[in-house]
Amino acid sequence: MTTDSGSVEVRRGVPEGAEERVAELYWEAFGRKLGAALGPAPAGRRFIASHLHQDRALSALDEAGQVLGVAGYQLAGRGLVGGDAAAVRATYGQVRGLYRVFLLALLERTPARGELVMDGIAVDPAARGRGIGGLLLDGIEEVAAEQGCRRIRLDVIAENPRARALYERRGFRAVRVRRTPWLREVLGFGEVTTMHKAVATR
């Protein structure tokens, strides 16, 4: 696939050996939201890299095989980033780990029947503006259609208007706004918009 600045290939999964790169991109995009639960940043990136479900991602690669972007999704109870409560406690300690498990539970989103939930799109800042986010969204739609899903759901925080604008351009529509000002001090955001897009049947 050709973008506005060179050739980009979108592949299913996380390429072997690219776990740390994907974790780096994911943290750059979502570290503000995940920091309280998985920070500091080096620890958070290590946790993500160690608990990736490689089959719950689409990766955008340049001609040299470098990962420029990643899109995660949830299906059948598994998302891009795994790691259960025991893994969190083992990494961060029994006492501090319990608090982090609670924070992660606040971010948990369970797909409804016939629904694919997007875990977010992360694109290398140096590669933004090249249409990579759109290519990844196209790939997400293909996965959803293949899995017989009737819609895609995602959540976007108010502090990320650029992402929301991309989703709106790609046909997503806001269906619900949840205002949780008490989370702003803890997780860095106080408003989340849920968006849906219907999946074309095949």
Side-chain angles (χ1 to χ4, degrees), residues 120-142:
I121 290 179
V123 176
D124 187 329
R128 290 174 186 166
R130 293 174 52 182
I132 293 172
L135 292 177
L136 289 168
L137 281 174
D138 288 343
I140 289 288
E141 289 192 46
E142 290 179 8

Side-chain angles (χ1 to χ4, degrees), residues 33-65:
K33 183 166 67 172
L34 296 173
L38 296 179
R45 290 192 293 265
R46 285 194 300 271
F47 185 88
I48 292 170
S50 299
H51 296 89
L52 287 175
H53 291 145
Q54 283 92 340
D55 63 339
R56 290 295 187 264
L58 297 175
S59 300
L61 287 71
D62 65 12
E63 295 172 331

Side-chain angles (χ1 to χ4, degrees), residues 161-181:
R162 181 179 181 138
R164 176 165 177 165
L166 169 64
Y167 300 143
E168 289 176 338
R169 289 197 303 271
R170 306 296 296 200
F172 286 84
R173 295 292 176 262
V175 297
R176 182 173 66 254
V177 177
R178 288 179 288 130
R179 293 178 175 85
T180 52

Side-chain angles (χ1 to χ4, degrees), residues 11-166:
R11 294 184 188 172
R12 302 282 177 95
V14 173
E16 184 177 354
E19 293 84 3
E20 291 185 5
R21 170 62 173 166
V22 168
E24 176 187 352
L25 292 175
Y26 207 74
W27 189 267
E28 193 281 329
F30 305 110
R32 178 177 182 178
K33 183 166 67 172
L34 296 173
L38 296 179
R45 290 192 293 265
R46 285 194 300 271
F47 185 88
I48 292 170
S50 299
H51 296 89
L52 287 175
H53 291 145
Q54 283 92 340
D55 63 339
R56 290 295 187 264
L58 297 175
S59 300
L61 287 71
D62 65 12
E63 295 172 331
Q66 174 83 347
V67 177
L68 299 178
V70 61
Y73 59 90
Q74 290 188 44
L75 273 176
R78 297 170 69 243
L80 173 58
V81 181
D84 58 13
V88 174
R89 293 197 303 272
T91 301
Y92 295 94
Q94 292 298 318
V95 176
R96 293 181 179 178
L98 284 174
Y99 175 66
R100 293 168 185 268
V101 169
F102 168 73
L103 294 179
L104 289 171
L106 295 176
L107 301 173
E108 190 65 33
R109 296 163 297 167
T110 302
R113 186 178 180 86
E115 183 178 70
L116 179 146
V117 172
M118 254 186 54
D119 277 337
I121 290 179
V123 176
D124 187 329
R128 290 174 186 166
R130 293 174 52 182
I132 293 172
L135 292 177
L136 289 168
L137 281 174
D138 288 343
I140 289 288
E141 289 192 46
E142 290 179 8
V143 171
E146 289 173 8
Q147 295 296 320
C149 297
R150 68 178 186 277
R151 74 182 181 200
I152 302 168
R153 178 173 63 121
L154 60 84
D155 289 336
V156 60
I157 61 175
E159 288 77 8
N160 196 356
R162 181 179 181 138
R164 176 165 177 165
L166 169 64

